[in-house]
Amino acid sequence: MPLMLRHEVSHDKFANNPESLEGRLLFAVPKKGRLLQAALNILEGADIQFKRESRLDIALVKNLPIALVFLPAADIPTFVGEGRVSLGITGRDTVAEHEAGVEASRRERAESGDTTPVEDDGHMGCEEVMDLGFGACKLQVQVPEKGQYVKPSDLIGKNVGTSFVHLAEQYFAILESEAELAANGEKTSKKLKTKIIELSGSVEAACALGVADGIVDLVESGETMKAAGLKPIDTVVSSIAVLIKSKNPSNLKLVDLIASRIRGVITAQQYVLCQYNVERTKLAAAAKITPGKRAPTINALEAEGWVAVSSMVEKKKIATVMDELTEVGATDILVLNIANTRTG
């Protein structure tokens, strides 16, 4: 079934005019949720100009041959991995869940003896291009604060609620294997003893409602889990928003261009330009403090024995860096915000 019809856009002009997507690289963006606004900010910084019509899940980019496709974040790794879209922004947790699902499917085929030819793995799947620096969270095992479970192995054979079914199954399969090896010196059972219950929302309520003994769910600040009377006992995956690409993109040159722009936006958000003057005899000490992303830029001054230095410094470290530069004799220290400057 065509991509457009699968994503509720049959009512819009794109369904009636599918040729409008011809020759355009498809770029998947979260349609809602915690990653959406930050992803839109990244696109704006990369000068990807578009207007999303109300309720439409596809938007044509005005200044580049790209079409943005707004999809649930959890579905993006699947569409990128199958080559339906060339680029996507989603969470590392959803990529890990997708990969765990693919691995589980391969394992099931192998165990069933199914020898039906499958797609060439060399051209399927997605690759992480870069960490985007927002949307940090953790996929954690959580149990009731006042309950009997204190470590993950206590949940073996129990009911565990989650929307990350494949990662949870993978996690508890390893736990069960380790427990059997410790007890018997060998693994005897292939079947998972722990019951993984798939939940699509309000996972944190599963324990209180008696649906599950523990859960595996995403945690940002942890306040929601505390309010639900839960506590973390292990982390399955640490996540952050990432840019991913298909192993077989429709236009590799354009993919590289977009990645370069986004990398520049991320750099501008995370770094400032620090400029200062220092005596050449003290340059080595100063350069150790400001090594830059690759190397500092150094120019000789008219004043004999002095040089001017320019170097990129992480924003979060700039105060300490300025103090250290002053201690080694640097003068005329200037910090420039490069957030509005394109970098490559």
Side-chain angles (χ1 to χ4, degrees):
M1 183 177 292
L3 171 65
M4 291 164 56
L5 297 180
R6 292 179 62 176
H7 284 275
E8 302 178 358
V9 293
S10 58
H11 61 283
D12 65 54
K13 61 184 178 182
F14 298 109
N16 296 324
N17 187 24
E19 62 270 17
S20 62
L21 296 182
E22 288 186 11
R24 288 181 178 268
L25 180 138
L26 299 186
F27 188 165
V29 181
K31 66 185 298 182
K32 60 182 179 179
R34 62 190 182 87
L35 301 182
L36 174 57
Q37 189 54 55
L40 294 180
N41 293 342
I42 289 284
L43 297 180
E44 181 181 4
D47 194 30
I48 295 175
Q49 302 172 17
F50 69 97
K51 181 179 180 181
R52 184 185 181 187
E53 300 291 342
S54 177
R55 298 177 59 198
L56 301 191
D57 290 335
I58 292 181
L60 301 184
V61 174
K62 301 174 183 178
N63 58 333
L64 289 168
I66 299 170
L68 300 180
V69 186
F70 293 85
L71 301 171
D75 292 345
I76 290 175
T78 299
F79 281 83
V80 175
E82 292 181 356
R84 304 283 182 171
V85 298
S86 295
L87 276 173
I89 292 176
T90 189
R92 188 174 281 154
D93 54 294
T94 66
V95 177
E97 172 69 6
H98 170 70
E99 291 177 348
V102 170
E103 182 57 36
S105 178
R106 286 175 180 159
R107 188 166 56 250
E108 287 174 8
R109 288 199 303 270
E111 291 174 356
S112 68
D114 184 1
T115 57
T116 302
V118 296
E119 296 88 347
D120 180 9
D121 286 341
H123 292 87
M124 301 294 288
C126 54
E127 298 177 357
E128 182 176 320
V129 179
M130 73 185 81
D131 170 338
L132 297 176
F134 63 86
C137 60
K138 294 180 180 180
L139 184 65
Q140 292 186 325
V141 182
Q142 297 263 342
V143 295
E145 178 73 41
K146 298 179 180 178
Q148 58 184 307
Y149 310 113
V150 295
K151 57 185 186 297
S153 58
D154 292 339
L155 289 172
I156 290 177
K158 307 298 181 182
N159 295 330
V160 176
T162 186
S163 56
F164 290 83
V165 174
H166 298 301
L167 282 174
E169 288 179 345
Q170 188 179 78
Y171 176 85
F172 280 98
I174 293 172
L175 275 187
E176 291 182 16
S177 177
E178 292 174 346
E180 286 194 23
L181 288 172
N184 309 317
E186 61 178 338
K187 179 170 173 58
T188 58
S189 175
K190 288 185 178 181
K191 189 173 181 180
L192 194 66
K193 299 174 186 176
T194 308
K195 184 178 180 181
I196 307 301
I197 303 170
E198 184 173 7
L199 301 171
S200 59
S202 301
V203 178
E204 69 278 0
C207 295
L209 296 176
V211 175
D213 300 293
I215 67 170
V216 175
D217 200 20
L218 283 181
V219 178
E220 292 182 71
S221 67
E223 294 303 315
T224 300
M225 296 302 174
K226 287 181 182 178
L230 301 173
K231 66 178 180 181
I233 55 174
D234 198 13
T235 295
V236 179
V237 171
S238 291
S239 182
I240 199 163
V242 291
L243 178 69
I244 57 175
K245 70 175 181 179
S246 167
K247 289 185 178 180
N248 189 29
S250 63
N251 185 333
L252 183 57
K253 184 176 180 180
L254 186 53
V255 165
D256 290 341
L257 172 66
I258 297 168
S260 177
R261 286 190 181 189
I262 291 177
R263 188 173 288 109
V265 173
I266 299 301
T267 298
Q269 291 176 345
Q270 296 178 346
Y271 288 82
V272 291
L273 184 65
C274 182
Q275 298 180 330
Y276 58 90
N277 298 329
V278 68
E279 291 181 83
R280 187 173 290 278
T281 56
K282 300 174 181 177
L283 176 60
K288 286 183 179 179
I289 300 169
T290 59
K293 287 198 71 179
R294 185 167 301 170
T297 298
I298 302 168
N299 294 302
L301 292 177
E302 293 271 338
E304 187 175 349
W306 283 77
V307 294
V309 181
S310 295
S311 184
M312 294 175 67
V313 176
E314 288 185 72
K315 284 184 180 179
K316 62 185 179 182
K317 297 180 179 178
I318 188 59
T320 301
V321 166
M322 291 174 70
D323 294 341
E324 292 177 354
L325 286 174
T326 299
E327 289 180 8
V328 299
T331 64
D332 308 317
I333 301 171
L334 178 64
V335 177
L336 301 175
N337 191 333
I338 58 175
N340 296 319
T341 302
R342 286 281 304 278
T343 60

